Amino acid sequence: MKDPIIVGIESSCDDTSVAVLQGNKILSNVINSQKIHQKYGGVVPELASRAHLRNIIPVFTVALQEANISLKNVNAIAFTQGPGLMGSLLVGSSFAKSLSQALSIPLIGVNHMQAHIFANFYDEKNSPDFPFLCLTVSGGHTQIVKIESIDSLEVIGETKDDAAGEAFDKIGKMLGLPYPAGPWIDQHSKTGNKNRFDFTKPKMEAYNFSFSGLKTAVKYFLEKKCDENPNFIQENLNDLCASIQKIIVETLLENFLKASKNLNIKNLVLAGGVSANSLLRNKFLSLEKENYSIHIPPIELTTDNAAMIAIVGRLKYENALFSDLSVTANPRLKL
Ligand code: KG4
Ligand code: ZN
């Protein structure tokens, strides 16, 4: 059988993305990251859906051009069904449904969190073996997931308040960094002293996380220090970033490794936007020396993108796991 050509569509939050996948090969993965939210310090849902509406056709056109694929050769349309922002999801899902109907090809609804995890299957010859544990860290989610097959995923721990990416973004905002602040904190940390400021590691029950206490602790700490010296943040920005990054990364890994040990699963996978973080990636990779089998997506597949949607689309296509036209966008879709 010829390798199927799958078009992936992602529009769950503030990135409009369309990808074309042929078999295992990503032919294109076009991402339009909406800049409009930066001045508001976070995503404004109404502006996001309007921007998706403007972007979707141009992004789709470029993705097909880059892939050098004609529409008549596409075998299936995969799209993000949820979780995400309702207005944003509706743009992608309506577009995907129209394409599927017009071209008379299968439609495949994809869970965005599953797609982050299965981005690690971008290389068929080097995919994680089942069962594996995934630490999914994004702007909206922080989860430890046990995966036994393409359609057997169990969340065994998650954040009870802020997600890890949200912690980076909200604390970064207090430091005066642009949105999203995660990459900026990462960048400033490179020349900072991670042991300069000692924040208490958040307490966790079972395999769950909690980051809102850290956010509040940093807030009060900064208020006190800025009262004493109004230039405190500017003068100590790199050390502050490094100290905060260290505590978030250590908290994530400590809990994840506890789950790995207790469940006796040594196949470990990282996923989601925060998996672009250099400290997290380095610490994770160093686990290879301790006999863990490690998988990390390439940087371009860590943050929101449509290639990861198309990858799940391909796996579902091979297993004939199709959706019908009654499938609806679901902002709270669970794994
Ligand atoms: O997965 P993603 O693109 O979107 C969601 O589904 O939420 O994740 C976005 C999150 C943001 O919070 C962003 O600050 C964070 O990923 N992020 C990072 C880095 N790159 C992106 N956080 C820390 N270090 C980074 N290098
Ligand atoms: Zn995401």
Side-chain angles (χ1 to χ4, degrees):
M1 195 178 85
K2 255 181 78 185
D3 283 339
I5 297 177
I6 313 279
V7 167
I9 296 168
E10 155 65 25
S11 72
S12 65
C13 191
D14 58 342
D15 296 295
T16 317
S17 180
V18 177
V20 182
L21 191 75
Q22 182 163 30
N24 198 34
K25 201 160 182 279
I26 299 169
L27 300 181
S28 64
N29 186 21
V30 179
I31 306 169
N32 181 296
S33 296
Q34 304 171 2
K35 300 277 174 280
I36 187 145
H37 309 286
Q38 271 174 1
K39 64 177 173 219
Y40 300 100
V43 178
V44 183
E46 179 61 29
L47 295 179
S49 48
R50 284 167 196 247
H52 282 304
L53 216 47
R54 277 195 304 276
N55 294 340
I56 191 97
I57 292 178
V59 169
F60 173 73
T61 308
V62 174
L64 286 187
Q65 276 166 0
E66 274 188 17
N68 201 14
I69 284 288
S70 140
L71 254 187
K72 66 177 187 316
N73 296 324
V74 175
N75 296 98
I77 307 289
F79 73 99
T80 305
Q81 191 191 348
L85 301 169
M86 188 50 152
S88 293
L89 290 168
L90 277 174
V91 177
S93 61
S94 311
F95 188 64
K97 282 187 194 184
S98 317
L99 279 174
S100 149
Q101 205 171 18
L103 300 169
S104 298
I105 54 175
L107 179 67
I108 303 170
V110 173
N111 183 306
H112 180 86
M113 301 315 294
Q114 182 179 13
H116 272 302
I117 297 172
F118 281 87
N120 284 282
F121 283 64
Y122 69 98
D123 176 4
E124 212 169 26
K125 290 185 216 73
N126 184 29
S127 301
D129 289 328
F130 296 109
F132 63 88
L133 274 190
C134 184
L135 174 65
T136 316
V137 273
S138 72
H141 292 79
T142 297
Q143 298 178 325
I144 297 178
V145 188
K146 182 179 164 192
I147 298 101
E148 293 190 328
S149 70
I150 174 73
D151 58 354
S152 169
L153 299 96
E154 184 192 355
V155 179
I156 61 163
E158 60 191 332
T159 182
K160 293 295 162 197
D161 39 58
D162 293 350
E166 206 176 346
F168 272 113
D169 294 341
K170 287 182 175 167
I171 292 174
K173 195 174 177 181
M174 294 177 207
L175 297 173
L177 297 171
Y179 174 85
W184 291 93
I185 293 187
D186 193 352
Q187 199 52 37
H188 283 286
S189 299
K190 290 192 195 323
T191 43
N193 173 1
K194 63 181 188 307
N195 298 317
R196 170 89 187 283
F197 301 108
D198 204 10
F199 297 106
T200 315
K201 212 176 272 176
K203 294 243 179 329
M204 304 156 284
E205 284 189 3
Y207 305 127
N208 294 324
F209 298 95
S210 165
F211 288 106
S212 76
L214 174 67
K215 182 184 64 188
T216 313
V218 174
K219 180 173 180 280
Y220 288 136
F221 173 80
L222 291 177
E223 277 173 7
K224 183 168 168 284
K225 290 292 183 185
C226 289
D227 274 349
E228 292 161 16
N229 169 14
N231 295 326
F232 177 78
I233 293 179
Q234 292 93 308
E235 286 168 12
N236 298 282
L237 186 59
N238 295 352
D239 292 349
L240 282 165
C241 286
S243 305
I244 288 156
Q245 175 175 275
K246 175 188 139 182
I247 194 95
I248 295 176
V249 167
E250 283 184 355
T251 304
L252 289 169
L253 281 181
E254 199 173 287
N255 212 14
F256 189 48
L257 290 179
K258 183 170 81 180
S260 155
K261 193 167 169 227
N262 291 350
L263 299 171
N264 196 23
I265 299 179
K266 295 201 99 179
N267 294 331
L268 303 184
V269 168
L270 202 57
V274 180
S275 68
N277 183 267
S278 51
L279 180 69
L280 182 59
R281 289 175 87 84
N282 289 340
K283 281 192 174 272
F284 203 73
L285 283 174
S286 70
L287 291 170
E288 233 156 22
K289 292 198 273 309
E290 297 173 41
N291 280 336
Y292 289 94
S293 165
I294 299 301
H295 284 86
I296 300 184
I299 290 279
E300 63 275 17
L301 298 185
T302 54
T303 45
D304 289 350
N305 68 90
M308 67 182 193
I309 306 299
I311 292 171
V312 176
R314 169 172 59 85
L315 296 167
K316 286 190 155 188
Y317 184 87
E318 285 164 1
N319 291 283
L321 295 168
F322 302 132
S323 313
D324 60 40
L325 282 175
S326 64
V327 64
T328 50
N330 181 351
R332 297 186 181 278
L333 189 67
K334 298 263 181 259
L335 270 178

